[in-house]
Amino acid sequence: MASPLLIDCDPGVDDMIALLFACASHEIRLLGVTTVSGNVGVDKTTANALAILALAGRSDVPVARGSSRPLIRSVRGGAADVHGDNGLGGVCLPPSDVAPDPRHAVDFLAETVTDSAEPVTLIATGPLTNIALFYARYPDVASSLRRVIIMGGSIGPGNVTPAAEFNCWFDPEAAYRVLTDTGLSRQVPNFMIGLDVAARVSLGVNELSVLRNSGRVGAYVADALGGQYLNHFRDLDGRDTMPIYDSVTVVEAVCPGLITMAPASVEVDTSTERGRGATEVHFRSSNDQIVEQSVGVDANGEKIVEVILERLAGGDLPSCA
Ligand code: BDR
Ligand code: CA
């Protein structure tokens, strides 16, 4: 029985892979996609989400536009240096002919979760602005979520500042609401997969050529990955590989067990000091002021890449085992 899923995202090259992997996975039923400002502005992330779903032949999945800026403090720029000015590594996907859902992302999330016969899993692959607003506006509905899986934060160093990972750096107050103090009446199981673990899932030039030769979807993905995105990581560490961070969230929903989780609590730094946006992870904390949750500590990167490639390249669905 496919389990219902919502994805909140800021596509984004790695968000694109997460979305396409979700579309290719029979274990889940994608109820909708919501968008947020992050890698690029929300107008672009919304157009990108619609175009990615059209590419996957899933224009039936509604896309609802969300927040255009962080909750409290605006930030200058996003991650166009990584994802290109259009957010998709400069690749122009054929635009979708479907319009966004007229509802704001937060209302869309609330109505979709309410209407679902089964508890919904919510995935977040961008800044947590929409999710924080959802918790604030609809706490009872949010309390009924099956679980929340987040790509964000880090147990180790960050990628924007020495301390902060992009999604938490972009909107630390929202991250605090979702990771540290939800204010929900029920503790929704929360799974945070940070930069350090998500980075264990990476593609190299061999995987790019498998994708490129696999058909239309794979060729677009290879183009999105193989230009500015790959160059960014080449310049960073001199290697011909690039992390596809956001894909880990959908992998956790589809193939549980490939990412190792440990119980922990997370404190997000909302100061305006150098640590702003950093996540401090306390394993097995007994401090009940802080939300208990699971944090990713390891990932079977090789197996995850194998499963993603087989699904994106349109082959037979492999088992997760
Ligand atoms: C996160 O930041 C974004 O640039 C990526 O899409 C990913 O969600 C990694 O830090
Ligand atoms: Ca993202």
Side-chain angles (χ1 to χ4, degrees):
M1 184 69 172
S3 80
L5 186 86
L6 285 161
I7 300 182
D8 184 75
C9 57
D10 63 336
V13 174
D14 53 338
D15 305 76
M16 176 188 191
I17 296 184
L19 285 171
L20 291 172
F21 182 65
C23 290
S25 294
H26 58 83
E27 297 88 345
I28 53 176
R29 193 156 30 91
L30 188 55
L31 301 180
V33 171
T34 52
T35 56
V36 67
S37 275
N39 288 323
V40 289
V42 72
D43 288 339
K44 289 183 183 174
T45 61
T46 306
N48 289 347
L50 286 163
I52 293 162
L53 290 169
L55 178 66
R58 292 301 313 272
S59 289
D60 58 302
V61 175
V63 174
R65 183 184 188 276
S67 311
S68 59
R69 51 156 288 158
L71 289 182
I72 310 290
R73 290 179 176 271
S74 57
V75 295
R76 216 168 272 160
D81 54 326
V82 185
H83 298 265
D85 285 341
N86 76 346
L88 294 180
V91 165
C92 293
L93 294 186
S96 171
D97 51 16
V98 173
D101 190 281
R103 291 167 285 185
H104 187 280
V106 171
D107 301 317
F108 174 84
L109 288 173
E111 285 172 33
T112 308
V113 171
T114 303
D115 290 347
S116 174
E118 284 170 70
V120 174
T121 295
L122 175 59
I123 278 179
T125 64
L128 292 160
T129 321
N130 290 336
I131 317 292
L133 289 170
F134 174 42
Y135 286 8
R137 175 73 183 87
Y138 298 103
D140 294 340
V141 181
S143 296
S144 75
L145 286 168
R146 177 171 169 222
R147 61 174 176 154
V148 181
I149 309 172
I150 293 156
M151 190 280 125
S154 176
I155 302 173
N159 56 354
V160 184
T161 70
E165 178 279 333
F166 179 81
N167 290 334
C168 289
W169 167 84
F170 193 89
D171 194 344
E173 282 77 18
Y176 184 92
R177 182 70 189 253
V178 176
L179 293 168
T180 306
D181 185 4
T182 62
L184 300 181
S185 57
R186 169 182 162 259
Q187 175 54 60
V188 174
N190 220 15
F191 296 77
M192 177 192 121
I193 307 166
L195 193 68
D196 45 327
V197 169
R200 294 178 200 180
V201 182
S202 65
L203 303 180
V205 286
N206 290 344
E207 287 81 20
L208 276 191
S209 93
V210 171
L211 285 166
R212 194 175 301 289
N213 295 320
S214 67
R216 185 165 176 265
V217 173
Y220 272 118
V221 174
D223 284 348
L225 286 163
Q228 178 159 358
Y229 192 76
L230 176 58
N231 287 338
H232 170 82
F233 291 101
R234 250 186 204 144
D235 292 347
L236 210 60
D237 60 15
R239 286 186 301 163
D240 267 345
T241 58
M242 65 213 122
I244 46 168
Y245 305 113
D246 290 336
S247 59
V248 293
T249 52
V250 185
V251 167
E252 171 58 23
V254 168
C255 305
L258 293 181
I259 296 159
T260 310
M261 297 285 181
S265 58
V266 178
E267 186 86 41
V268 180
D269 187 336
T270 55
S271 72
T272 53
E273 308 297 319
R274 280 191 309 181
R276 181 167 171 78
T279 47
E280 197 179 318
V281 177
H282 306 271
F283 287 104
R284 301 182 192 284
S285 168
S286 58
N287 181 352
D288 53 13
Q289 294 303 304
I290 299 177
V291 172
E292 284 296 325
Q293 61 183 325
S294 301
V295 171
V297 291
D298 198 5
N300 184 342
E302 222 171 282
K303 180 69 189 171
I304 292 172
V305 166
E306 197 183 301
V307 175
I308 290 175
L309 271 192
E310 288 197 47
R311 294 197 182 189
L312 262 57
D316 289 340
L317 296 181
S319 87
C320 296

